[in-house]
Every structure is written in C-alpha cells, then in structure tokens.
Amino acid sequence: MKRKPISDQVVVVFGASSGIGRETALQFARRGAKVVVSARGDEGLNSLVEEIHNEGGAALAIPAEVADFSQVKAVADGAVKRYGRLDTWVHLAGIGMYATFEQTSPEEFRRIVEVNLLGQVHGAQAALPHLRRAGHGALILVSSVEARRALPYHSAYAASKHGVHGFIEALRVELRREKAPVSVTEVMPASINTPFFSKARTKIGVKPMGLPPIYPPQLVAEAILQAAEHPRREVIVGGAGKGMLMTQRTSPRLMDALMLLIGFRGQETREPKSVDAPDNLFQPIAGDNRVEGDFSAQAKLEAASPWIQRNKWLVAGTVLGGVAVVFTVKALRGRS
C-alpha cells in the first residue's frame, strides 16, 4: 500500500503527553509532519506543542478522555478541520496497575479495560472514516507483548491487551475484504523506559518496574514512524519481547515456569510505595510529562549493546534454554 512521505502527512498521536507518545509526536514533527496530539491532561500537551513549535514544527493539542467516544471523535474531527485531512492515526493511550487479580477491584479492572481496549476501539472508530477519505490511511495501534503473553500482577492489563490484539485481527480482515485503503499495524513493545511505572497504581508494596531488559522509548517511536511510511502487519520492539513470544509459541508451560522464576521479583524495585500514592488510573498526574522514566541506565545499556541487538535471537534462545535446563534438573531431582 503506497503511503505519503512523513513530511506530507497529517498525524494524530493519542496518548502523547509523556513516554512513547511524546517521543513519537516529536519525531513526526521533526520529520515535517503536521501533528495533532491528545491525552487527558492539558499540561503535558501544552508543553509538548510548545516544544514542537520551538523546533519549527506544526502541532495542535486537543485534550480528550479516551474512554469517552465523543471526545475521541472530536480529536479526529479537529485534526481534519485544522489541516484538511487525516493520514495516520497512532493510538498509544494506556494505563496499568500492579496487583494480583484478587487485589484488583471490579472498578479498577473495568477502568483498565475501558482505557486500554475500548480506547483503542474508540480511536479506530473515530479515525477510520477520515483515513478512508484520505485514500491511503494508516491505523497504528500500540498494544504490548502482553497482547500475546501475560505477566503476573497484570491480569487486567494483559486482558485489555489481548483484547486489542483480537480486535485488530478481526478489523484487518474486514478492511482487506472491502479493499479499504487503510493499513493496520499492531506495535507490541517489550519493557520500555517511560513514566508508566511511576504513574501506575501499585498494591505490591513497592514501586514497580518493567520486566528486564528495559528498552529506550526512541526504539518504539522509530518503529511507529517506519510503519507510517511502510506499513507492516505487526512489529515487536525489543529482542527480549521476541524471545518471550517465541518461547510462548513453543512451550507455554516453559513460559509459565519462567514467569514463576522471574516474573514477580523482576517487576519489583526496592523502593517502597503505598497504594495511596498518586497514580493515573482515573486522573492524570500533573508534572510528570517526561519521555523517559526512571530506568535510563538500564535502557542505555540495552541500546549501547550492538552485538546483543544483532544477535537477539541467539541471546534469547541461550537464556531460555538455560532456564529450561534448570527446570529439567529440578524436575529430575524431585523424582529421585
């Protein structure tokens, strides 16, 4: 499907106030795209638009609550009203919570599904009419590697991301049957160094972190821009994520064992954090509109390891093979 160069595109980035969304909007603007940015809070969006304008780019902020379709539709309509069309819709808005399933209230579970799953649905419903009219539209939906493999502490989050994956598969086939001029790309990041972890509600007693290794948000933004010009079915960002999904396909039981070994402690820092600490589950948090989170040292280590990046399948296979050996030895000892 032929696409316009980014410099000629009008792009909406939803979930743009911080993290991957903010970096994505900045990269689009630096490549010459006209960018419309949206999120719940005015503060982060206004500072983002100011940064883009200071760099000579074109941007418009339209705040919206992603769980409210009318507000999401207003973003799509506002982009067309301002710039005449919509070429690419990038949907990144998402929230999370670290808790066991039994610690998760029905209201918390529902809220995560409303934002992470229904928010993506609302974005697609609002954007598709405009993307069709453009004649070459791109719908880029960012889910997670947890769309294919859930982690502990993430029953609601993983359920919402699995739902996004199923929704995308159905939508993609329907659009192909109609020969609609709209590409659909699912971007599935592994653990990314953004403020997501400091903003998330936690009931595990400590500040959470992404399951290592942790990757810089710039990698995801680059994958999104690539998909905006050269459509792909799906993109997994982070070699560890590819290894995890490869293992899940090969042996779900081995992946269960790996999660028992590292899935809990691997998401826990040593920094105490109360359940009463501020979080963004129902309201945005003021003053935390960074691109990068609190794990820059780990992310820079990953980005600065070119051999690991070139040989990520070998590294992932070696690590997972080692885990398999450990559990095999334990099983044999248990029988003796």
Side-chain angles (χ1 to χ4, degrees):
M1 189 177 295
K2 189 175 181 180
R3 299 301 324 282
K4 289 181 177 181
I6 286 174
S7 58
D8 292 339
Q9 290 193 27
V10 176
V11 181
V12 168
V13 180
F14 217 111
S17 58
S18 66
I20 299 168
R22 191 179 187 96
E23 177 64 20
T24 299
L26 288 168
Q27 288 199 26
F28 269 117
R30 288 165 184 161
R31 293 273 298 274
K34 297 178 176 63
V35 183
V36 176
V37 294
S38 187
R40 289 179 294 178
D42 291 328
E43 180 187 46
L45 294 179
N46 291 339
S47 66
L48 173 59
V49 168
E50 182 179 5
E51 185 174 355
I52 290 172
H53 286 170
N54 288 341
E55 294 182 3
L60 169 69
I62 307 177
E65 163 59 60
V66 73
D68 183 339
F69 173 70
S70 64
Q71 293 188 39
V72 179
K73 185 176 183 297
V75 175
D77 295 344
V80 174
K81 182 178 180 180
R82 178 65 167 270
Y83 295 118
R85 66 181 191 281
L86 174 59
D87 299 301
T88 297
W89 179 279
V90 182
H91 202 103
L92 289 128
I95 55 174
M97 183 174 76
Y98 285 76
T100 65
F101 172 68
E102 291 184 302
Q103 291 175 318
T104 306
S105 73
E107 293 75 20
E108 291 166 335
F109 203 108
R110 182 180 302 109
R111 175 62 177 169
I112 291 170
V113 171
E114 285 176 347
V115 171
N116 294 359
L117 172 54
L118 293 182
Q120 296 270 13
V121 172
H122 292 162
Q125 288 174 327
L128 277 172
H130 299 299
L131 296 175
R132 286 176 183 275
R133 279 195 290 271
H136 47 254
L139 187 63
I140 303 174
L141 305 179
V142 180
S143 61
S144 166
V145 294
E146 291 198 64
R148 300 280 185 85
R149 171 67 215 197
L151 302 184
Y153 294 145
H154 272 185
S155 57
Y157 181 86
S160 68
K161 297 299 184 177
H162 272 66
V164 170
H165 179 68
F167 155 64
I168 289 173
E169 285 191 329
L171 174 63
R172 184 184 290 117
V173 174
E174 291 172 4
L175 291 174
R176 284 184 178 178
R177 183 188 187 194
E178 300 168 14
K179 295 182 171 54
V182 179
S183 61
V184 181
T185 299
E186 180 179 8
V187 178
M188 294 178 279
S191 295
I192 306 298
N193 178 37
T194 73
F196 174 89
F197 308 104
S198 59
K199 293 181 178 183
R201 180 170 294 186
T202 177
K203 297 186 180 182
I204 61 176
V206 296
K207 177 181 174 179
M209 64 180 289
L211 187 67
I214 300 174
Y215 299 90
Q218 290 77 14
L219 293 181
V220 189
E222 290 166 6
I224 291 170
L225 267 72
Q226 179 73 10
E229 274 190 329
H230 307 283
R232 296 177 60 183
R233 178 187 178 87
E234 62 184 33
V235 184
I236 303 168
V237 181
K242 293 180 180 180
M244 188 171 80
L245 298 188
M246 176 184 68
T247 305
Q248 176 68 15
R249 288 193 299 270
T250 304
S251 175
R253 288 189 177 185
L254 175 58
M255 201 64 212
D256 287 348
L258 183 61
M259 288 297 101
L260 282 170
L261 184 67
I262 65 172
F264 293 90
R265 294 298 298 273
Q267 297 184 87
E268 300 171 359
T269 68
R270 296 183 178 180
E271 180 181 336
K273 186 172 182 180
S274 167
V275 68
D276 298 322
D279 62 65
N280 71 344
L281 195 62
F282 291 96
Q283 299 292 335
I285 296 178
D288 194 359
N289 301 305
R290 302 167 289 161
V291 167
E292 296 190 354
D294 299 329
F295 305 100
S296 295
Q298 295 95 315
K300 287 177 181 177
L301 178 63
E302 293 299 325
S305 303
W307 186 89
I308 292 177
Q309 292 302 314
R310 288 195 305 270
N311 298 278
K312 52 197 172 189
W313 288 104
L314 176 61
V315 173
T318 302
V319 171
L320 294 168
V323 172
V325 170
V326 169
F327 276 90
T328 300
V329 170
K330 285 185 176 181
L332 292 173
R333 285 178 178 175
R335 292 175 185 175
S336 60

